[in-house]
Amino acid sequence: MKRLFLLVNLLFFSISFSQDFKQDQRVWLAYTGFFKMSNHWIYQAEAQFRMDNQLQQNHQNLFRVGTLYSISTSKNIAAGYALVHTFSNSLEEYFKENRLWEQFQYSKKWHNDENLFLHRIRLEQRWVEKKGPVNNEIKSITTNYQNRLRYFNRNLFHVCNFVSENASLYAIIQDEVFFTFGDNNINTKLIDQNRFLVGLGLNFKSNTRFELGYLNIYVTSPSQTDTMYHTISISVSQNLAL
């Protein structure tokens, strides 16, 4: 699996850097809560706000909810719904996306249980609103459908403990590749985008994580120039028992 992960990334970067693309800067803010209801069932609630580098324009916001079922301590399956609002620079207005998703996740600790790697495969069914001018007004014209497959690989490396054993510092290396399949009118390219992140995280009492990193996002376009976003990623996640 690690060899496959490296091969996919080498292929993607060789393709992306062999063609012209434009660049921009972003700041992503995210919160994810996992609420344990029993030994097997967990509810997930997530909010993301994707801003420009001046924190003045919200280019996209995402709200995701779901239910996870723990098969074992290392494996789980999940499904849920996401609502996405994306700002169109050309229309100066937001358009909406409704999204269903299903996933399988596998994780494993190693090196005295201090390090962790995680694999996640997620399927998405996307209904994306298309807006345009109608009688001198911006209105919803149609809804486009797309199937998307996402492969996510995340690696955490323990750096050190602080005064209390309940707090620790770790390094993060992760990547996620987005593949499209089937007929769609959103992005006809096989690879929709790639997100590569390096950063640091703080783990407080094993239930709250704060992470800060550099996120490189490469988004392909079927008709325009591809875009690379240099992004500061700030996220908080919590694991809470209800």
Side-chain angles (χ1 to χ4, degrees):
M1 187 64 75
K2 290 183 179 179
R3 292 179 180 177
L4 177 61
F5 170 69
L6 291 173
L7 180 60
V8 169
N9 279 277
L10 287 173
L11 176 62
F12 174 79
F13 283 112
S14 65
I15 293 174
S16 63
F17 284 105
S18 64
Q19 58 189 22
D20 293 332
F21 59 90
K22 61 182 180 181
Q23 302 184 62
D24 206 343
Q25 298 176 352
R26 293 287 188 268
V27 177
W28 282 21
L29 309 172
Y31 170 81
T32 305
F34 297 97
F35 307 98
K36 188 174 182 179
M37 307 301 294
S38 68
N39 289 334
H40 291 286
W41 293 100
I42 301 171
Y43 294 149
Q44 173 184 342
E46 181 178 355
Q48 296 186 23
F49 302 94
R50 299 165 178 178
M51 316 288 292
D52 64 10
N53 63 335
Q54 302 296 323
L55 299 178
Q56 294 179 346
Q57 175 63 57
N58 184 0
H59 286 274
Q60 190 176 69
N61 55 62
L62 178 149
F63 305 97
R64 182 185 289 122
V65 293
T67 302
L68 288 74
Y69 179 79
S70 296
I71 302 172
S72 67
T73 56
S74 61
K75 303 180 185 71
N76 68 63
I77 55 176
Y81 166 78
L83 174 64
V84 186
H85 290 98
T86 303
F87 185 76
S88 170
N89 290 321
S90 59
L91 300 176
E92 295 187 347
E93 191 168 324
Y94 289 91
F95 60 89
K96 182 172 65 175
E97 174 185 344
N98 291 290
R99 183 187 303 175
L100 298 178
W101 59 275
E102 308 82 34
Q103 73 179 34
F104 170 77
Q105 183 171 289
Y106 171 74
S107 62
K108 182 178 177 61
K109 292 184 178 181
W110 57 283
H111 196 273
N112 298 322
D113 288 344
E114 291 184 329
N115 299 339
L116 178 140
F117 71 81
L118 181 149
H119 300 286
R120 185 183 74 201
I121 297 174
R122 177 180 290 172
L123 288 171
E124 293 178 333
Q125 300 82 48
R126 308 173 63 207
W127 290 266
V128 181
E129 180 184 32
K130 181 178 180 180
K131 286 187 172 182
V134 177
N135 296 327
N136 297 321
E137 294 183 13
I138 302 300
K139 295 184 177 181
S140 179
I141 299 175
T142 186
T143 299
N144 292 321
Y145 177 78
Q146 181 189 67
N147 292 302
R148 191 162 67 179
L149 172 68
R150 299 166 59 164
Y151 170 66
F152 177 77
N153 178 275
R154 175 173 165 90
N155 298 270
L156 305 183
F157 303 94
H158 177 78
V159 176
C160 67
N161 293 325
F162 293 102
V163 177
S164 170
E165 290 294 327
N166 291 327
S168 61
L169 177 70
Y170 57 92
I172 311 159
I173 299 178
Q174 70 183 44
D175 190 80
E176 186 171 22
V177 189
F178 296 61
F179 300 95
T180 64
F181 62 95
D183 295 333
N184 70 82
N185 295 315
I186 300 175
N187 189 351
T188 56
K189 291 187 176 179
L190 173 62
I191 297 181
D192 179 68
Q193 61 179 282
N194 189 85
R195 299 175 183 175
F196 175 77
L197 180 140
V198 291
L200 292 173
L202 291 172
N203 188 9
F204 298 98
K205 298 182 180 180
S206 298
N207 61 15
T208 301
R209 294 180 182 271
F210 172 81
E211 297 182 354
L212 174 65
Y214 164 73
L215 177 62
N216 182 286
I217 307 168
Y218 191 95
V219 180
T220 65
S221 173
S223 58
Q224 302 176 5
T225 305
D226 295 350
T227 305
M228 177 180 288
Y229 296 100
H230 302 283
T231 307
I232 296 174
S233 174
I234 302 172
S235 65
V236 175
S237 63
Q238 291 184 306
N239 292 280
L240 303 173
L242 299 181

